[in-house]
Coordinates of all heavy atoms in Angstrom, one line a residue:
M568 N -7.7 -6.8 26.0 CA -7.6 -6.0 24.9 C -6.7 -4.9 25.1 O -6.6 -4.3 26.2 CB -9.0 -5.4 24.6 CG -9.1 -4.6 23.4 SD -10.8 -4.2 23.1 CE -10.6 -3.0 21.8
N569 N -5.9 -4.5 24.1 CA -4.9 -3.5 24.2 C -5.5 -2.1 24.2 O -6.5 -1.9 23.4 CB -3.9 -3.6 23.1 CG -3.1 -4.9 23.2 OD1 -2.9 -5.5 24.2 ND2 -2.6 -5.3 22.0
A570 N -5.0 -1.2 25.0 CA -5.5 0.1 25.0 C -5.0 0.9 23.7 O -3.9 0.6 23.3 CB -5.0 0.9 26.2
P571 N -5.7 1.8 23.2 CA -5.2 2.5 22.0 C -4.0 3.4 22.4 O -4.0 4.0 23.4 CB -6.4 3.3 21.6 CG -7.4 3.3 22.7 CD -7.1 2.2 23.5
T572 N -3.1 3.4 21.5 CA -1.9 4.2 21.7 C -1.9 5.4 20.8 O -2.7 5.5 19.9 CB -0.6 3.3 21.4 OG1 -0.7 3.0 20.0 CG2 -0.6 2.0 22.2
R573 N -1.0 6.3 21.1 CA -0.8 7.5 20.3 C -0.4 7.2 18.9 O -0.9 7.8 17.9 CB 0.2 8.4 21.0 CG 0.3 9.7 20.2 CD 1.4 10.6 20.8 NE 1.0 11.0 22.2 CZ 1.9 11.5 23.0 NH1 3.1 11.7 22.7 NH2 1.5 11.9 24.2
R574 N 0.5 6.2 18.7 CA 0.9 5.8 17.4 C -0.2 5.3 16.6 O -0.4 5.6 15.4 CB 2.0 4.8 17.5 CG 2.5 4.4 16.2 CD 3.7 3.4 16.3 NE 4.9 4.1 16.8 CZ 6.0 3.6 17.0 NH1 6.2 2.3 16.8 NH2 7.0 4.3 17.4
A575 N -1.1 4.4 17.2 CA -2.2 3.9 16.4 C -3.2 5.0 16.1 O -3.7 5.0 14.9 CB -2.9 2.8 17.3
F576 N -3.4 5.9 17.0 CA -4.4 7.0 16.7 C -3.8 7.9 15.5 O -4.6 8.3 14.6 CB -4.6 7.9 17.9 CG -5.5 9.1 17.6 CD1 -6.8 8.9 17.3 CD2 -4.9 10.3 17.5 CE1 -7.6 10.0 17.0 CE2 -5.7 11.4 17.2 CZ -7.0 11.3 17.0
L577 N -2.5 8.2 15.6 CA -2.0 9.1 14.6 C -1.9 8.4 13.2 O -2.1 9.0 12.2 CB -0.6 9.5 15.0 CG -0.5 10.5 16.1 CD1 0.9 10.8 16.5 CD2 -1.3 11.8 15.8
G578 N -1.7 7.1 13.2 CA -1.7 6.3 12.0 C -3.1 6.3 11.4 O -3.3 6.5 10.2
F579 N -4.2 6.2 12.2 CA -5.5 6.2 11.8 C -5.9 7.6 11.2 O -6.5 7.7 10.2 CB -6.5 5.8 12.9 CG -7.9 6.0 12.5 CD1 -8.5 5.1 11.7 CD2 -8.7 7.0 13.0 CE1 -9.9 5.2 11.4 CE2 -10.0 7.2 12.7 CZ -10.6 6.2 11.9
A580 N -5.4 8.6 11.9 CA -5.7 10.0 11.5 C -5.0 10.3 10.2 O -5.6 11.0 9.3 CB -5.3 11.0 12.6
Q581 N -3.8 9.8 10.0 CA -3.1 10.1 8.8 C -3.7 9.4 7.6 O -3.9 9.9 6.5 CB -1.6 9.6 8.9 CG -0.8 9.9 7.7 CD 0.7 9.4 7.9 OE1 1.0 8.7 8.9 NE2 1.5 9.7 7.0
G582 N -4.2 8.2 7.9 CA -4.9 7.4 6.8 C -6.2 8.1 6.4 O -6.6 8.2 5.3
A583 N -6.9 8.7 7.4 CA -8.2 9.4 7.2 C -7.9 10.6 6.3 O -8.7 10.9 5.4 CB -8.9 9.7 8.5
V584 N -6.9 11.4 6.7 CA -6.5 12.6 5.9 C -6.1 12.2 4.5 O -6.6 12.9 3.5 CB -5.4 13.4 6.6 CG1 -4.9 14.5 5.7 CG2 -5.9 13.9 7.9
A585 N -5.4 11.1 4.3 CA -5.0 10.7 3.0 C -6.2 10.3 2.1 O -6.3 10.6 1.0 CB -4.0 9.6 3.0
A586 N -7.1 9.6 2.8 CA -8.3 9.2 2.0 C -9.2 10.4 1.7 O -9.7 10.4 0.6 CB -9.1 8.2 2.9
A587 N -9.3 11.3 2.5 CA -10.1 12.5 2.2 C -9.4 13.3 1.1 O -10.1 13.9 0.2 CB -10.2 13.4 3.5
A588 N -8.1 13.4 1.1 CA -7.4 14.1 0.0 C -7.6 13.4 -1.3 O -7.9 14.1 -2.4 CB -5.9 14.2 0.3
V589 N -7.5 12.1 -1.4 CA -7.7 11.3 -2.6 C -9.1 11.5 -3.1 O -9.4 11.7 -4.3 CB -7.3 9.8 -2.4 CG1 -7.8 9.0 -3.6 CG2 -5.9 9.7 -2.2
G590 N -10.1 11.5 -2.1 CA -11.5 11.7 -2.5 C -11.7 13.1 -3.1 O -12.5 13.2 -4.1
A591 N -11.1 14.1 -2.5 CA -11.3 15.5 -3.0 C -10.7 15.6 -4.4 O -11.3 16.3 -5.2 CB -10.7 16.5 -2.0
I592 N -9.5 15.0 -4.6 CA -8.9 15.1 -5.9 C -9.8 14.4 -6.9 O -9.9 14.8 -8.1 CB -7.5 14.5 -5.8 CG1 -6.6 15.5 -5.0 CG2 -6.9 14.3 -7.2 CD1 -5.2 14.9 -4.7
G593 N -10.3 13.2 -6.5 CA -11.2 12.4 -7.4 C -12.4 13.2 -7.8 O -12.8 13.2 -9.0
V594 N -13.0 13.9 -6.9 CA -14.2 14.7 -7.2 C -13.8 15.9 -8.1 O -14.6 16.2 -9.0 CB -14.8 15.3 -5.9 CG1 -15.8 16.3 -6.1 CG2 -15.4 14.1 -5.1
R595 N -12.7 16.4 -7.9 CA -12.2 17.5 -8.8 C -12.0 17.1 -10.2 O -12.4 17.7 -11.1 CB -10.9 18.1 -8.2 CG -10.2 19.1 -9.0 CD -10.7 20.5 -8.7 NE -10.0 21.5 -9.5 CZ -10.1 22.7 -9.3 NH1 -10.8 23.2 -8.3 NH2 -9.4 23.5 -10.0
F596 N -11.4 15.9 -10.4 CA -11.2 15.3 -11.7 C -12.5 15.0 -12.4 O -12.7 15.2 -13.6 CB -10.3 14.1 -11.7 CG -8.8 14.5 -11.6 CD1 -8.0 13.7 -10.8 CD2 -8.3 15.5 -12.2 CE1 -6.6 14.0 -10.7 CE2 -7.0 15.9 -12.1 CZ -6.1 15.1 -11.3
I597 N -13.4 14.4 -11.6 CA -14.7 14.1 -12.2 C -15.5 15.3 -12.7 O -16.0 15.4 -13.7 CB -15.6 13.3 -11.2 CG1 -14.9 11.9 -11.0 CG2 -17.0 13.2 -11.6 CD1 -15.6 11.1 -9.9
A598 N -15.4 16.4 -11.8 CA -16.1 17.6 -12.2 C -15.4 18.2 -13.5 O -16.1 18.8 -14.4 CB -16.0 18.6 -11.1
T599 N -14.1 18.1 -13.6 CA -13.4 18.6 -14.7 C -13.7 17.8 -16.0 O -14.0 18.4 -17.0 CB -11.9 18.6 -14.5 OG1 -11.6 19.4 -13.3 CG2 -11.1 19.2 -15.7
A600 N -13.8 16.5 -15.8 CA -14.1 15.7 -17.0 C -15.5 15.9 -17.5 O -15.8 15.9 -18.7 CB -13.9 14.2 -16.6
E601 N -16.5 16.2 -16.6 CA -17.8 16.5 -17.0 C -18.0 17.8 -17.7 O -18.8 18.0 -18.5 CB -18.8 16.4 -15.8 CG -19.0 15.0 -15.2 CD -19.8 15.0 -14.0 OE1 -20.1 16.1 -13.4 OE2 -20.2 13.9 -13.5
A602 N -17.1 18.7 -17.4 CA -17.1 20.1 -18.0 C -16.5 20.1 -19.4 O -16.7 21.0 -20.1 CB -16.4 21.1 -17.1
M603 N -15.8 19.0 -19.7 CA -15.1 19.0 -21.0 C -16.2 18.6 -22.1 O -17.1 17.9 -21.9 CB -14.0 17.9 -21.0 CG -12.9 18.2 -20.1 SD -11.7 16.9 -20.1 CE -10.8 17.3 -21.5
P604 N -16.0 19.2 -23.3 CA -17.0 18.9 -24.4 C -16.9 17.5 -24.9 O -17.9 17.0 -25.5 CB -16.6 19.9 -25.5 CG -15.2 20.3 -25.2 CD -15.0 20.2 -23.7
V605 N -15.9 16.8 -24.6 CA -15.7 15.4 -25.1 C -16.7 14.5 -24.3 O -17.2 13.5 -24.9 CB -14.3 14.9 -24.9 CG1 -14.1 13.5 -25.3 CG2 -13.3 15.8 -25.7
A606 N -17.0 14.8 -23.1 CA -17.8 13.9 -22.3 C -19.2 13.8 -22.8 O -19.9 12.8 -22.7 CB -17.9 14.5 -20.8
A607 N -19.7 14.8 -23.5 CA -21.1 14.7 -24.1 C -21.1 13.8 -25.3 O -22.2 13.3 -25.6 CB -21.6 16.1 -24.4
N608 N -20.0 13.6 -26.0 CA -20.0 12.8 -27.2 C -19.4 11.4 -27.0 O -18.8 10.9 -27.9 CB -19.2 13.6 -28.2 CG -19.8 14.9 -28.6 OD1 -21.0 15.1 -28.5 ND2 -18.9 15.9 -28.8
L609 N -19.5 10.8 -25.8 CA -18.9 9.5 -25.6 C -19.5 8.4 -26.4 O -18.9 7.5 -26.8 CB -19.0 9.2 -24.1 CG -18.1 10.0 -23.2 CD1 -18.4 9.6 -21.7 CD2 -16.7 9.7 -23.5
G610 N -20.8 8.5 -26.8 CA -21.5 7.5 -27.5 C -21.3 7.5 -29.0 O -21.5 6.6 -29.7
R611 N -20.7 8.6 -29.5 CA -20.6 8.8 -31.0 C -19.1 8.6 -31.3 O -18.3 9.4 -30.9 CB -21.1 10.1 -31.4 CG -22.5 10.4 -31.0 CD -22.9 11.8 -31.5 NE -24.2 12.1 -30.8 CZ -24.5 13.4 -30.6 NH1 -23.8 14.4 -31.0 NH2 -25.6 13.6 -30.0
A612 N -18.8 7.7 -32.1 CA -17.4 7.4 -32.5 C -17.0 8.3 -33.7 O -15.8 8.5 -34.0 CB -17.2 6.0 -32.8
A613 N -18.0 8.8 -34.5 CA -17.6 9.5 -35.8 C -17.1 10.9 -35.5 O -16.4 11.5 -36.3 CB -18.9 9.6 -36.6
I614 N -17.4 11.4 -34.3 CA -17.0 12.8 -34.0 C -15.6 12.9 -33.5 O -15.0 13.9 -33.6 CB -18.0 13.4 -33.0 CG1 -19.4 13.4 -33.5 CG2 -17.6 14.8 -32.5 CD1 -20.4 14.0 -32.6
T615 N -15.0 11.8 -33.2 CA -13.6 11.8 -32.6 C -12.6 12.3 -33.7 O -11.6 12.8 -33.3 CB -13.2 10.4 -32.2 OG1 -13.3 9.5 -33.2 CG2 -14.1 10.0 -31.0
T616 N -12.9 12.2 -35.0 CA -11.9 12.7 -36.0 C -11.8 14.2 -35.9 O -10.8 14.8 -36.3 CB -12.3 12.2 -37.4 OG1 -13.6 12.7 -37.6 CG2 -12.3 10.7 -37.5
D617 N -12.9 14.9 -35.5 CA -12.8 16.3 -35.4 C -12.0 16.8 -34.2 O -11.5 17.9 -34.2 CB -14.2 16.9 -35.2 CG -15.1 16.6 -36.4 OD1 -14.5 16.3 -37.5 OD2 -16.3 16.6 -36.3
L618 N -11.8 15.9 -33.3 CA -11.0 16.3 -32.1 C -9.5 16.2 -32.3 O -8.8 16.7 -31.5 CB -11.4 15.5 -30.9 CG -12.9 15.5 -30.5 CD1 -13.2 14.6 -29.4 CD2 -13.3 16.9 -30.1
A619 N -9.0 15.5 -33.3 CA -7.6 15.3 -33.5 C -7.0 16.6 -34.1 O -7.6 17.3 -34.9 CB -7.4 14.2 -34.5
T620 N -5.9 17.0 -33.6 CA -5.2 18.2 -34.1 C -3.8 17.8 -34.6 O -3.2 16.7 -34.2 CB -5.0 19.2 -33.0 OG1 -4.2 18.6 -31.9 CG2 -6.3 19.7 -32.5
Q621 N -3.2 18.6 -35.5 CA -1.9 18.3 -36.0 C -0.9 18.5 -34.9 O -0.9 19.4 -34.1 CB -1.6 19.2 -37.2 CG -2.4 18.9 -38.4 CD -2.0 17.7 -39.1 OE1 -0.8 17.2 -38.9 NE2 -2.9 17.1 -39.9
A622 N 0.1 17.6 -34.9 CA 1.2 17.8 -34.0 C 2.2 18.8 -34.5 O 2.3 19.0 -35.7 CB 1.9 16.4 -33.8
Q623 N 2.9 19.5 -33.6 CA 3.9 20.4 -34.1 C 5.1 19.7 -34.6 O 5.5 18.6 -34.2 CB 4.4 21.3 -32.9 CG 3.3 22.2 -32.4 CD 3.8 23.0 -31.2 OE1 5.0 22.9 -30.8 NE2 3.0 23.9 -30.8
W624 N 5.7 20.2 -35.7 CA 6.8 19.6 -36.3 C 7.9 20.6 -36.5 O 7.6 21.8 -36.8 CB 6.4 19.0 -37.7 CG 7.5 18.3 -38.3 CD1 7.9 17.0 -38.2 CD2 8.5 18.8 -39.2 NE1 8.9 16.7 -38.9 CE2 9.4 17.8 -39.6 CE3 8.7 20.1 -39.8 CZ2 10.4 18.0 -40.4 CZ3 9.8 20.3 -40.6 CH2 10.6 19.2 -41.0
G625 N 9.1 20.2 -36.3 CA 10.2 21.1 -36.5 C 11.5 20.3 -36.8 O 11.4 19.1 -37.0
P626 N 12.6 21.0 -36.9 CA 13.9 20.2 -37.2 C 14.2 19.3 -36.0 O 13.8 19.6 -34.8 CB 14.9 21.4 -37.3 CG 14.3 22.5 -36.6 CD 12.8 22.4 -36.7
P627 N 14.9 18.2 -36.3 CA 15.2 17.3 -35.2 C 16.1 17.9 -34.2 O 17.0 18.7 -34.5 CB 15.8 16.1 -35.9 CG 16.3 16.6 -37.2 CD 15.4 17.8 -37.5
H628 N 16.0 17.5 -32.9 CA 16.9 18.0 -31.9 C 18.2 17.3 -32.0 O 18.3 16.1 -32.4 CB 16.3 17.7 -30.5 CG 15.0 18.4 -30.3 ND1 14.9 19.7 -30.1 CD2 13.7 17.9 -30.2 CE1 13.7 20.1 -29.9 NE2 12.9 19.0 -29.9
G629 N 19.2 18.1 -31.6 CA 20.6 17.5 -31.6 C 20.8 16.7 -30.4 O 20.0 16.5 -29.5
P630 N 22.0 16.1 -30.3 CA 22.3 15.3 -29.1 C 22.3 16.2 -27.9 O 22.9 17.2 -27.8 CB 23.7 14.7 -29.4 CG 24.3 15.6 -30.4 CD 23.1 16.2 -31.2
G631 N 21.6 15.8 -26.8 CA 21.6 16.5 -25.6 C 20.6 17.7 -25.6 O 20.4 18.3 -24.6
W632 N 19.9 17.9 -26.7 CA 18.9 19.0 -26.8 C 19.4 20.3 -26.4 O 18.8 21.0 -25.6 CB 17.7 18.6 -25.9 CG 16.9 17.5 -26.4 CD1 17.4 16.3 -27.0 CD2 15.5 17.3 -26.4 NE1 16.4 15.5 -27.3 CE2 15.2 16.1 -27.0 CE3 14.5 18.1 -26.0 CZ2 13.9 15.6 -27.1 CZ3 13.2 17.7 -26.2 CH2 12.9 16.5 -26.7
G633 N 20.6 20.7 -26.8 CA 21.1 22.0 -26.5 C 22.5 21.9 -25.9 O 23.1 20.9 -25.9
R634 N 22.9 23.0 -25.3 CA 24.2 23.1 -24.7 C 24.2 22.2 -23.5 O 23.3 22.2 -22.7 CB 24.6 24.5 -24.4 CG 24.8 25.4 -25.5 CD 25.2 26.8 -25.1 NE 25.2 26.9 -23.7 CZ 25.4 28.1 -23.1 NH1 25.6 29.1 -23.8 NH2 25.3 28.1 -21.8
P635 N 25.3 21.6 -23.2 CA 25.4 20.9 -21.9 C 25.6 21.9 -20.8 O 26.2 22.9 -20.9 CB 26.6 20.0 -22.0 CG 27.5 20.7 -23.1 CD 26.5 21.3 -24.0
R636 N 24.9 21.6 -19.7 CA 25.0 22.5 -18.5 C 26.3 22.3 -17.8 O 26.8 21.2 -17.7 CB 23.9 22.1 -17.5 CG 22.6 22.7 -17.8 CD 21.6 22.5 -16.7 NE 22.1 21.9 -15.5 CZ 21.3 21.4 -14.5 NH1 20.0 21.5 -14.6 NH2 21.8 20.9 -13.4
P637 N 26.9 23.4 -17.4 CA 28.2 23.2 -16.7 C 27.9 22.6 -15.3 O 27.0 23.0 -14.7 CB 28.7 24.7 -16.6 CG 27.6 25.5 -16.8 CD 26.6 24.8 -17.6
R638 N 28.8 21.8 -14.9 CA 28.7 21.2 -13.6 C 29.1 22.2 -12.5 O 30.1 22.9 -12.6 CB 29.5 20.0 -13.4 CG 29.0 18.8 -14.2 CD 29.6 17.5 -13.9 NE 29.5 17.3 -12.5 CZ 29.8 16.1 -11.9 NH1 30.4 15.2 -12.6 NH2 29.6 15.9 -10.6
R639 N 28.2 22.4 -11.5 CA 28.5 23.4 -10.5 C 28.4 22.7 -9.1 O 27.6 21.8 -8.9 CB 27.5 24.5 -10.5 CG 27.7 25.4 -11.8 CD 26.8 26.6 -11.7 NE 27.0 27.4 -12.9 CZ 26.1 28.0 -13.6 NH1 24.8 27.9 -13.2 NH2 26.4 28.7 -14.6
R640 N 29.2 23.2 -8.2 CA 29.1 22.7 -6.8 C 28.2 23.7 -6.1 O 28.2 24.9 -6.3 CB 30.4 22.7 -6.2 CG 31.3 21.6 -6.7 CD 32.6 21.4 -5.9 NE 33.2 22.6 -5.4 CZ 34.0 22.7 -4.4 NH1 34.4 21.6 -3.8 NH2 34.5 23.8 -4.0
R641 N 27.4 23.1 -5.1 CA 26.6 24.0 -4.3 C 26.7 23.5 -2.9 O 26.8 22.3 -2.6 CB 25.2 24.0 -4.8 CG 24.5 22.7 -4.7 CD 23.1 22.8 -5.4 NE 22.2 21.8 -5.0 CZ 22.1 20.6 -5.4 NH1 22.9 20.2 -6.4 NH2 21.3 19.8 -4.9
W642 N 26.6 24.3 -1.9 CA 26.6 24.0 -0.5 C 25.2 23.7 0.0 O 24.3 24.5 -0.1 CB 27.2 25.2 0.3 CG 27.3 24.9 1.8 CD1 26.4 25.2 2.7 CD2 28.4 24.2 2.4 NE1 26.9 24.7 4.0 CE2 28.1 24.2 3.8 CE3 29.6 23.7 2.0 CZ2 29.0 23.6 4.7 CZ3 30.5 23.1 2.9 CH2 30.1 23.1 4.2
V643 N 25.0 22.4 0.4 CA 23.7 22.0 0.8 C 23.8 21.2 2.1 O 24.8 20.7 2.5 CB 23.0 21.1 -0.2 CG1 22.7 21.8 -1.5 CG2 23.8 19.9 -0.5
C644 N 22.7 21.2 2.8 CA 22.6 20.4 4.0 C 21.5 19.3 3.8 O 20.5 19.6 3.2 CB 22.2 21.3 5.2 SG 23.5 22.5 5.6
W645 N 21.7 18.2 4.4 CA 20.8 17.1 4.3 C 20.7 16.3 5.6 O 21.6 16.4 6.4 CB 21.1 16.2 3.1 CG 22.4 15.5 3.2 CD1 22.6 14.2 3.7 CD2 23.7 16.0 2.8 NE1 24.0 13.9 3.6 CE2 24.6 15.0 3.1 CE3 24.1 17.2 2.3 CZ2 26.0 15.2 2.9 CZ3 25.5 17.4 2.1 CH2 26.4 16.4 2.3
W646 N 19.7 15.5 5.7 CA 19.5 14.7 6.9 C 20.0 13.3 6.6 O 19.7 12.7 5.6 CB 18.1 14.6 7.4 CG 17.6 15.9 7.9 CD1 17.0 16.9 7.3 CD2 17.8 16.4 9.3 NE1 16.7 18.0 8.1 CE2 17.3 17.7 9.4 CE3 18.5 15.9 10.4 CZ2 17.3 18.4 10.5 CZ3 18.5 16.6 11.6 CH2 17.9 17.9 11.6
H647 N 20.8 12.7 7.5 CA 21.3 11.4 7.4 C 21.4 10.7 8.8 O 22.1 11.2 9.7 CB 22.7 11.4 6.8 CG 23.3 10.1 6.6 ND1 22.8 9.2 5.7 CD2 24.4 9.4 7.2 CE1 23.5 8.1 5.7 NE2 24.5 8.2 6.7
R648 N 20.6 9.7 8.9 CA 20.5 9.0 10.2 C 20.2 9.9 11.4 O 20.8 9.8 12.5 CB 21.8 8.2 10.5 CG 22.0 7.1 9.4 CD 23.2 6.3 9.8 NE 23.4 5.2 8.8 CZ 24.4 4.4 8.8 NH1 25.4 4.6 9.7 NH2 24.5 3.5 7.8
G649 N 19.2 10.8 11.2 CA 18.8 11.6 12.3 C 19.6 12.8 12.6 O 19.4 13.6 13.5
R650 N 20.7 13.1 11.8 CA 21.5 14.2 12.0 C 21.7 15.0 10.7 O 21.6 14.4 9.6 CB 22.9 13.8 12.5 CG 22.9 13.1 13.8 CD 24.3 12.7 14.2 NE 24.3 12.1 15.5 CZ 24.9 12.6 16.5 NH1 25.6 13.7 16.4 NH2 24.8 12.0 17.7
R651 N 21.9 16.3 10.8 CA 22.1 17.1 9.7 C 23.6 17.1 9.3 O 24.5 17.4 10.1 CB 21.6 18.5 10.0 CG 21.5 19.4 8.8 CD 20.9 20.7 9.0 NE 21.8 21.5 9.7 CZ 21.7 22.8 9.9 NH1 20.6 23.4 9.5 NH2 22.6 23.5 10.5
H652 N 23.8 16.9 8.0 CA 25.2 17.0 7.4 C 25.2 18.1 6.4 O 24.2 18.2 5.6 CB 25.6 15.6 6.8 CG 25.7 14.5 7.7 ND1 26.9 14.2 8.3 CD2 24.8 13.6 8.2 CE1 26.7 13.2 9.1 NE2 25.5 12.8 9.1
C653 N 26.2 18.8 6.3 CA 26.4 19.9 5.3 C 27.6 19.7 4.5 O 28.6 19.2 5.1 CB 26.4 21.3 6.0 SG 24.8 21.7 6.8
G654 N 27.6 20.0 3.3 CA 28.8 19.9 2.5 C 28.5 20.3 1.0 O 27.4 20.7 0.7
W655 N 29.6 20.2 0.2 CA 29.5 20.5 -1.2 C 28.9 19.4 -2.0 O 29.3 18.2 -1.8 CB 30.8 20.9 -1.8 CG 31.4 22.2 -1.2 CD1 32.3 22.3 -0.3 CD2 31.0 23.5 -1.7 NE1 32.5 23.6 0.0 CE2 31.7 24.4 -0.9 CE3 30.1 24.0 -2.6 CZ2 31.6 25.7 -1.0 CZ3 30.0 25.3 -2.7 CH2 30.8 26.2 -2.0
R656 N 27.9 19.6 -2.8 CA 27.3 18.6 -3.7 C 27.4 19.1 -5.1 O 27.3 20.3 -5.4 CB 25.8 18.4 -3.3 CG 25.6 17.6 -2.0 CD 25.9 16.2 -2.3 NE 25.8 15.4 -1.1 CZ 24.9 14.5 -0.8 NH1 24.0 14.2 -1.6 NH2 24.9 13.8 0.3
W657 N 27.6 18.1 -6.0 CA 27.6 18.5 -7.5 C 26.2 18.5 -8.0 O 25.4 17.7 -7.7 CB 28.4 17.4 -8.2 CG 29.9 17.5 -8.0 CD1 30.6 16.8 -7.1 CD2 30.8 18.5 -8.6 NE1 31.9 17.2 -7.1 CE2 32.1 18.2 -8.1 CE3 30.6 19.4 -9.6 CZ2 33.2 18.9 -8.5 CZ3 31.8 20.2 -9.9 CH2 33.0 19.9 -9.4
R658 N 26.0 19.4 -8.9 CA 24.7 19.5 -9.5 C 24.8 19.0 -10.9 O 25.7 19.1 -11.6 CB 24.2 21.0 -9.6 CG 22.8 21.1 -10.2 CD 22.4 22.5 -10.3 NE 22.2 23.1 -9.0 CZ 21.5 24.2 -8.8 NH1 21.1 24.9 -9.8 NH2 21.4 24.7 -7.6

């Protein structure tokens, strides 16, 4: 039998932390859903019409939704194949 390695232990620990985070987020969403007034009326279909609201309406947007942003260069650093590279990048 193979002895446990550091990589195997860290992979297990990372999986356990991820599972705990997903569980905590799930509990948070369930608590939020139970606090909503809609959750009490799940069995009644007639009340759903009261929950609908009018959508906002306005003039149609033009092409591009406003002025086009000017293209700017910025100096950034990034990692590539284990090394840091710096240079100008277009935004």
Side-chain angles (χ1 to χ4, degrees):
M568 183 171 169
N569 295 336
T572 62
R573 181 183 296 167
R574 179 176 290 179
F576 174 74
L577 291 177
F579 175 74
Q581 183 179 9
V584 169
V589 169
I592 291 171
V594 168
R595 175 88 177 190
F596 281 141
I597 290 171
T599 303
E601 289 176 352
M603 296 177 82
V605 178
N608 300 327
L609 287 178
R611 302 180 197 156
I614 298 178
T615 57
T616 57
D617 297 338
L618 300 176
T620 59
Q621 290 287 337
Q623 292 182 356
W624 183 87
H628 295 290
W632 292 38
R634 294 183 354 187
R636 279 187 7 191
R638 289 191 59 173
R639 293 189 176 136
R640 291 191 318 162
R641 65 188 203 274
W642 183 264
V643 293
C644 297
W645 64 94
W646 290 97
H647 180 70
R648 295 186 180 173
R650 293 178 181 247
R651 191 171 77 166
H652 294 269
C653 297
W655 290 101
R656 288 281 175 115
W657 288 97
R658 183 184 292 194

